[in-house]
Amino acid sequence: MSYKIAICSGKGGTGKTTVAVNLFSTIQTKWTKNVQLVDCDVEEPNDLLFFKDAKIINRSIVNQSVPVIDESQCTFCRKCEEYCEFNAISIIPSVKYASVDPNMCHSCGACLHACKFGAIQEHQHPIGELTNYSRGNQTDILEGSLKIGSPMQTKIIKDLKANASEESDILIYDAPPGTSCPVVETVSAADFVILVTEPTPFGLYDLRLTVNLMKEMQKDFGIVVNKAGLGDREVYAYLKEEEIELLAEIPFNREYAGQYAQGKLLSDIPPLIEQEYMKLAIYLKNRMNHD
Amino acid sequence: MIEITILSGKGGTGKTGITAAFASLANNTVFADIDVDAPDLHLILEPEIKEENQFLGARIAKIDTQICTNCGFCIKECRFDAIHYRTEGGLEVNPFECEGCRLCERICPFKAISSEHSTNNHWFVSDTRFGTMLHAKMGPGEENSGKLVTTVRKNAKEKAREQNADFLLNDGPPGVGCSAIASLTGVDKVILVTEPSKSGFHDAVRLIELVQKFEIPLYAVINKCDINSEITKQMEYFFITQGIQLLGKIPFNEDMVNAIVNRKSIIEYKPDSEIAEKIKEMWNKVTEPIKELK
């Protein structure tokens, strides 16, 4: 079994991807080659932008099962419409109209149980794709990407996680922002969660929401403060008060922000920043041995 | 009434800071924070809550262990792997995995399963120093943020009509998934706030594709434009090819962060700064053609 680390934030743009990519690289070069980076931010996957040497190993389509109603078999009884909790089915008996909106459908299968006339069958509807990348011999970066217009991000994350190798020593999940179902799906299997925040009122407010989610999900977690030096000191007071562990502090560095902009996160890393990632990797190694 | 949603694709490009700045410039406008996952606009607008409403979230299944015979039929049929055997015996539903489809409830041969709406979500109508604001508080890990977005927008629109407001300004969520879709269906205009980084650009392109699918007129703002002037140029060129009007460019300045620390919009915090001037120009570009129509 792999040791699974999820990187989350609540607020967007705090530096999840920056931390995930750097941590992955630190672990790969200094600890074990057998690590996979899994980009679970399927709405806006960005990890690959930082690995120009990565080659596609495999790409597959993610499908969702969507019911299709055969109007020649349908009696327009509306039972399926009643069963559908997601308002994806519309039946108008007077004009013999029956249709399913794939963008509303959650593929739960309830309508199949509702129909007693065999009028509903499931068809495959593409909602995104999974890609495996490699920079050597084996897959080390996995990405899920949601098809534009589909609201089924959680299903892609589920398939993406299943696609990662349990043979890896470590899996790093780069989570989407927010605190709702896609984040829950990403974090659900994680052994440890790193919450990345920034020292601003926005960062702190959303950190509190995410900490509540972690407590509810009974996850072990620690904090990385990114862009340290900007904003204020409130986040540190909060961590102390709540007795939450501060794992690393990445100082704000305008030059390095410019490098990030160009996709050059992994070259010319300022020594102070490199040191913080080493500290984080060592912490995780101890934690993993302890768990 | 014109409804405008501010979106970005990538998070952290400055949507909320810019929404707050527009809020301090706008007259006769209603505001809505529809980033219900991680709402922050209230930290600047400091709303005084006038009305609190409960939003019924997704249903969550519950198994009555007194009736359940452990037949396992529901486990087999649940497509979300939300039902598990407990180590101490019996079955249980993992509320985080349950999608609330009620399939198990309907097929249980012993009628041992029921479901209840989650009551963890609330939405509010509030007064702020800039006008009425609608916002929400979602329970952790909730299933239905898209529906909550729709509810907040629907009520914000009603308020805006009631007040005969000129604008409804929505501070939107990051991404392009269900919350982003719910935040833009049927709006009159979208303002894209982006930043000149590879990831900012990549994410903006995905958002633009989504907005174009819905055929909504789109404006763009390049925030922190001097972080990488090369990418800024590429973005400007791209916007031209896509027929997207660039409202303006804002250089990186710690004053934007300091304004937030002081719970003020940049317009209030540094009214005579270059950034404030630029944002005023942008807001005029959005509102003037509409005023002329009146």
Side-chain angles (χ1 to χ4, degrees), chain B residues 12-196:
Chain B
T13 58
K15 281 184 296 300
T16 302
I18 290 175
T19 306
F22 284 161
S24 43
L25 295 167
N27 296 314
N28 198 21
T29 300
V30 169
F31 309 98
D33 190 345
I34 54 175
D35 183 2
V36 297
D37 268 46
D40 289 325
L41 188 61
H42 66 282
L43 297 171
I44 309 295
L45 266 51
E46 298 179 315
E48 192 186 315
I49 294 173
K50 292 289 170 191
E51 201 187 293
E52 178 171 345
N53 304 279
Q54 196 174 61
F55 166 80
L56 287 182
R59 285 174 182 265
I60 292 171
K62 212 175 138 189
I63 299 174
D64 186 336
T65 46
Q66 299 290 319
I67 307 173
C68 176
T69 64
N70 298 330
C71 74
F73 188 46
C74 55
I75 297 184
K76 213 176 94 230
E77 292 295 320
C78 174
R79 295 199 177 172
F80 308 104
D81 304 322
I83 307 174
H84 309 276
Y85 283 108
R86 290 189 300 185
T87 39
E88 65 268 35
L91 294 176
E92 71 176 351
V93 176
N94 178 338
F96 287 115
E97 286 165 335
C98 176
E99 294 241 346
C101 73
R102 302 177 76 190
L103 173 67
C104 55
E105 181 184 341
R106 299 188 201 272
I107 59 164
C108 173
F110 307 97
K111 304 225 173 310
I113 307 180
S114 59
S115 65
E116 270 170 31
H117 285 287
S118 127
T119 52
N120 258 336
N121 304 286
H122 295 84
W123 60 272
F124 314 95
V125 182
S126 300
D127 281 346
T128 77
R129 60 190 182 280
F130 306 123
T132 302
M133 172 183 179
L134 282 86
H135 48 123
K137 196 164 174 37
M138 196 183 69
E142 284 285 325
E143 198 64 56
N144 260 342
S145 50
K147 277 192 189 161
L148 182 54
V149 168
T150 306
T151 302
V152 172
R153 268 187 61 203
K154 187 173 147 253
N155 286 283
K157 265 197 243 180
E158 259 166 43
K159 274 281 169 252
R161 283 201 199 99
E162 244 170 59
Q163 298 181 3
N164 211 0
D166 293 328
F167 296 99
L168 166 58
L169 190 59
N170 300 321
D171 185 12
V176 293
C178 65
S179 304
I181 294 171
S183 77
L184 60 77
T185 48
V187 302
D188 299 293
K189 287 177 194 307
V190 169
I191 299 176
L192 159 70
V193 176
T194 187
E195 62 173 39

Side-chain angles (χ1 to χ4, degrees), chain A residues 8-26:
Chain A
C8 289
S9 75
K11 176 168 162 34
T14 57
K16 280 180 298 304
T17 296
T18 302
V19 171
V21 163
N22 273 292
L23 180 63
F24 168 70
S25 167
T26 305

Side-chain angles (χ1 to χ4, degrees), chain A residues 10-15 41-46 49-50 52 65 82-87 106-113 122 143 145-154 158 177-185 188 198-203 205-206 209 212-214 216-218 227 229-232 234 252 254 257-263, chain B residues 8-13 16-17 35-44 59 73 77 79-81 96-97 99-103 106-107 117 120 137-145 147 174-181 195-200 202-204 206-207 209-211 213-214 224 226-228 231 252-254 257-258 260-263:
Chain A
K11 176 168 162 34
T14 57
D41 187 1
V42 303
E43 293 181 46
E44 301 287 16
N46 287 147
L49 297 173
F50 301 98
K52 290 187 183 64
S65 301
E82 182 202 319
Y83 266 42
C84 180
E85 282 292 306
F86 309 105
N87 300 321
H106 285 226
S107 302
C108 68
C111 55
L112 296 174
H113 283 276
E122 287 185 304
E143 179 194 84
S145 177
L146 179 73
K147 192 175 161 195
I148 297 295
S150 169
M152 292 297 290
Q153 61 272 35
T154 307
K158 209 172 226 175
T179 54
S180 61
C181 42
V183 178
V184 170
E185 182 58 49
S188 62
E198 58 180 39
T200 66
F202 291 179
Y205 185 82
D206 298 342
L209 297 178
N212 286 343
L213 177 64
M214 292 307 125
E216 243 184 74
M217 294 182 72
Q218 300 175 340
K227 309 181 199 176
L230 282 181
D232 59 17
E234 293 289 316
F252 178 74
R254 190 157 169 176
Q259 258 171 257
Y260 163 84
Q262 285 175 308
Chain B
S8 66
K10 176 168 160 37
T13 58
T16 302
D35 183 2
V36 297
D37 268 46
D40 289 325
L41 188 61
H42 66 282
L43 297 171
I44 309 295
R59 285 174 182 265
F73 188 46
E77 292 295 320
R79 295 199 177 172
F80 308 104
D81 304 322
F96 287 115
E97 286 165 335
E99 294 241 346
C101 73
R102 302 177 76 190
L103 173 67
R106 299 188 201 272
I107 59 164
H117 285 287
N120 258 336
K137 196 164 174 37
M138 196 183 69
E142 284 285 325
E143 198 64 56
N144 260 342
S145 50
K147 277 192 189 161
V176 293
C178 65
S179 304
I181 294 171
E195 62 173 39
S197 63
K198 284 209 164 174
S199 41
H202 171 267
D203 297 354
R206 283 172 64 84
L207 182 76
E209 197 186 331
L210 181 68
V211 175
K213 249 185 194 233
F214 287 91
K224 315 175 204 174
D226 50 349
I227 287 266
N228 188 311
I231 300 177
F252 177 80
N253 191 315
E254 283 188 29
V257 182
N258 295 332
I260 293 167
V261 168
N262 286 283
R263 310 291 165 125

Side-chain angles (χ1 to χ4, degrees), chain A residues 48-69:
Chain A
L48 250 295
L49 297 173
F50 301 98
F51 301 96
K52 290 187 183 64
D53 51 342
K55 293 189 176 57
I56 297 178
I57 297 282
N58 185 40
R59 178 165 275 171
S60 57
I61 304 285
V62 182
N63 286 302
Q64 169 198 8
S65 301
V66 175
V68 173
I69 303 173

Side-chain angles (χ1 to χ4, degrees), chain A residues 19-285:
Chain A
V19 171
V21 163
N22 273 292
L23 180 63
F24 168 70
S25 167
T26 305
I27 291 175
Q28 205 176 39
T29 51
K30 307 255 163 62
W31 173 4
T32 168
K33 288 254 176 271
N34 196 12
V35 50
Q36 289 189 330
L37 174 63
V38 187
D39 194 347
C40 298
D41 187 1
V42 303
E43 293 181 46
E44 301 287 16
N46 287 147
D47 290 358
L48 250 295
L49 297 173
F50 301 98
F51 301 96
K52 290 187 183 64
D53 51 342
K55 293 189 176 57
I56 297 178
I57 297 282
N58 185 40
R59 178 165 275 171
S60 57
I61 304 285
V62 182
N63 286 302
Q64 169 198 8
S65 301
V66 175
V68 173
I69 303 173
D70 178 353
E71 288 180 350
S72 70
Q73 302 287 313
C74 179
T75 63
F76 306 95
C77 70
R78 308 186 85 160
K79 191 83 183 162
C80 57
E81 193 185 47
E82 182 202 319
Y83 266 42
C84 180
E85 282 292 306
F86 309 105
N87 300 321
I89 302 181
S90 340
I91 310 280
I92 311 171
S94 57
V95 291
K96 294 199 181 326
Y97 175 83
S99 130
V100 180
D101 181 351
N103 288 332
M104 307 279 275
C105 174
H106 285 226
S107 302
C108 68
C111 55
L112 296 174
H113 283 276
C115 185
K116 301 288 175 239
F117 307 98
I120 302 182
Q121 279 197 324
E122 287 185 304
H123 289 236
Q124 296 302 308
H125 179 77
I127 53 168
E129 56 188 25
L130 305 181
T131 315
N132 294 358
Y133 295 88
S134 160
R135 295 178 305 140
N137 299 322
Q138 64 196 46
T139 294
D140 57 0
I141 306 170
L142 297 93
E143 179 194 84
S145 177
L146 179 73
K147 192 175 161 195
I148 297 295
S150 169
M152 292 297 290
Q153 61 272 35
T154 307
K155 158 86 174 143
I156 304 206
I157 297 171
K158 209 172 226 175
D159 285 20
L160 174 65
K161 278 163 53 193
N163 199 21
S165 169
E166 277 294 339
E167 307 286 303
S168 302
D169 292 335
I170 301 162
L171 292 176
I172 300 173
Y173 298 137
D174 187 6
T179 54
S180 61
C181 42
V183 178
V184 170
E185 182 58 49
T186 305
V187 170
S188 62
D191 299 297
F192 186 75
V193 185
I194 297 171
L195 305 181
V196 183
T197 189
E198 58 180 39
T200 66
F202 291 179
L204 177 56
Y205 185 82
D206 298 342
L207 175 66
R208 284 173 194 267
L209 297 178
T210 317
V211 165
N212 286 343
L213 177 64
M214 292 307 125
K215 286 185 176 164
E216 243 184 74
M217 294 182 72
Q218 300 175 340
K219 291 289 169 188
D220 291 327
F221 62 92
I223 310 290
V224 170
V225 174
N226 190 23
K227 309 181 199 176
L230 282 181
D232 59 17
R233 305 284 306 168
E234 293 289 316
V235 67
Y236 302 101
Y238 166 75
L239 295 182
K240 204 166 170 191
E241 194 185 298
E242 293 285 316
E243 296 175 3
I244 298 171
E245 204 162 356
L246 176 62
L247 307 177
E249 246 186 301
I250 320 281
F252 178 74
N253 176 322
R254 190 157 169 176
E255 231 168 83
Y256 191 54
Q259 258 171 257
Y260 163 84
Q262 285 175 308
K264 289 182 187 157
L265 266 181
L266 298 173
S267 48
D268 305 319
I269 306 171
L272 259 177
I273 292 182
E274 201 166 22
Q275 202 181 305
E276 289 300 300
Y277 286 112
M278 269 308 281
K279 201 167 104 188
L280 187 58
I282 291 165
Y283 173 87
L284 292 167
K285 193 167 183 179

